[in-house]
Amino acid sequence: MTKLFQPPSDGQLAQLLGESLIQIWTRLCQRIENKYDMERAWNSGGKAWVYEYKYRRGGKTLCALYAKGNRIGFMVILGKQEREAFEAIQGEFKPEVQEIYWSATTFHDGKWLMFELEDDTLFDDMERLLMLKRKPNKK
């Protein structure tokens, strides 16, 4: 019999990530939620992560956050038009974002960009990547 997935409590997530990263996680979620009205869903993080926290609307994923012991991941998948838009303005992004973009594998559904965040220095770039996918739907 398979065990049903249980989302973490706030305390469990804080314990998993540690004091400084739970603050980064919370602030990133607040930034996303201040601009986007999205459905949110917890899932298992698969083989590489403990938890996945996905932002979706209308069957389309905006982005996902991942958590495991003292580590946070932020993933955004850019489709063909979004990749063209990124490449046209790539100089506006920090060098580490450009490096992750160009080293990421392109799959049939897009280029999967995974960022492991240790602080908030890439938050503005994360926000710009999300705007390439979808215009904010909150004022």
Side-chain angles (χ1 to χ4, degrees), residues 11-12 37-38 47 67 78 130:
Q12 288 170 321
D37 182 21
M38 306 293 276
K47 293 179 183 176
L78 300 181
L130 295 179

Side-chain angles (χ1 to χ4, degrees), residues 8-63:
S9 67
D10 291 344
Q12 288 170 321
L13 186 62
Q15 185 175 17
L16 179 69
L17 294 176
E19 190 174 320
S20 64
L21 286 181
I22 191 65
Q23 292 175 21
I24 299 301
W25 176 282
T26 302
R27 288 190 3 240
L28 181 56
C29 289
Q30 287 170 342
R31 271 184 95 146
I32 294 167
E33 292 163 19
N34 283 340
K35 298 223 180 241
Y36 296 94
D37 182 21
M38 306 293 276
E39 299 160 13
R40 299 179 296 257
W42 284 101
N43 297 300
S44 164
K47 293 179 183 176
W49 298 89
V50 176
Y51 298 112
E52 173 192 65
Y53 189 59
K54 196 177 279 191
Y55 287 90
R56 297 176 59 92
R57 186 174 182 123
K60 294 193 178 207
T61 299
L62 177 68
C63 65

Side-chain angles (χ1 to χ4, degrees), residues 96-110:
E96 50 263 58
V97 172
Q98 294 178 51
E99 183 180 328
I100 287 171
Y101 177 86
W102 290 110
S103 64
T105 303
T106 303
F107 296 98
H108 72 281
D109 58 348

Side-chain angles (χ1 to χ4, degrees), residues 77-107:
I77 301 171
L78 300 181
K80 186 176 191 300
Q81 290 177 330
E82 295 144 358
R83 291 193 315 268
E84 290 170 357
F86 174 87
E87 291 172 17
I89 60 168
Q90 66 180 306
E92 297 176 17
F93 290 85
K94 289 192 165 123
E96 50 263 58
V97 172
Q98 294 178 51
E99 183 180 328
I100 287 171
Y101 177 86
W102 290 110
S103 64
T105 303
T106 303
F107 296 98

Side-chain angles (χ1 to χ4, degrees), residues 112-130:
W112 293 36
L113 308 180
M114 173 62 86
F115 299 87
E116 287 202 31
L117 304 175
E118 297 174 357
D119 54 38
D120 62 1
T121 58
L122 296 179
F123 278 14
D124 289 342
D125 282 1
M126 305 293 97
E127 203 170 299
R128 269 199 299 268
L129 287 170
L130 295 179

